[in-house]
Amino acid sequence: MPDRKKLEEQVEILRGQLEQDPPLPEEKREALEALIAKFEVQLELEPATQSPSISDDVSQAAIEFDAEHPVISGTLRNIMISLGNMGI
């Protein structure tokens, strides 16, 4: 359960960064908001029923944000670690 709590904390950090960082292009903002919505759904599920595709989505998002928004990319990488620790 500590990994689940860590994931919840990282998602909250990501939400905060979405509001604090310089304005993102609408397309990227919507992509991050959609990813956050996926996390919220995943957090409600039992680990055995969680989709591994969310890890792929996070990895892709981290790559896309790496150059222009390294702080957001770092948070996404932390989320990947949390997901991995949860076996997702």
Side-chain angles (χ1 to χ4, degrees):
M1 204 53 105
D3 293 327
R4 189 178 192 87
K5 182 68 175 165
K6 178 120 176 117
L7 179 58
E8 290 171 358
E9 290 170 0
Q10 291 298 318
V11 170
E12 285 304 313
I13 289 170
L14 184 59
R15 273 193 192 104
Q17 290 171 340
L18 191 58
E19 298 304 318
Q20 291 177 2
D21 280 0
L24 295 173
E26 191 63 29
E27 180 181 301
K28 287 192 175 198
R29 176 174 290 284
E30 288 174 1
L32 269 183
E33 289 171 349
L35 195 55
I36 289 171
K38 280 186 178 183
F39 289 136
E40 290 169 343
V41 169
Q42 292 296 311
L43 287 170
E44 298 299 319
L45 300 174
E46 292 300 315
T49 61
Q50 292 177 339
S51 170
S53 68
I54 195 163
S55 294
D56 295 336
D57 294 344
V58 176
S59 177
Q60 183 61 37
I63 291 167
E64 290 176 15
F65 282 89
D66 204 29
E68 294 179 28
H69 303 281
V71 173
I72 290 175
S73 180
T75 301
L76 290 168
R77 292 183 196 290
N78 288 338
I79 288 172
M80 286 175 21
I81 292 168
S82 295
L83 290 169
N85 289 342
M86 294 172 67
I88 299 172

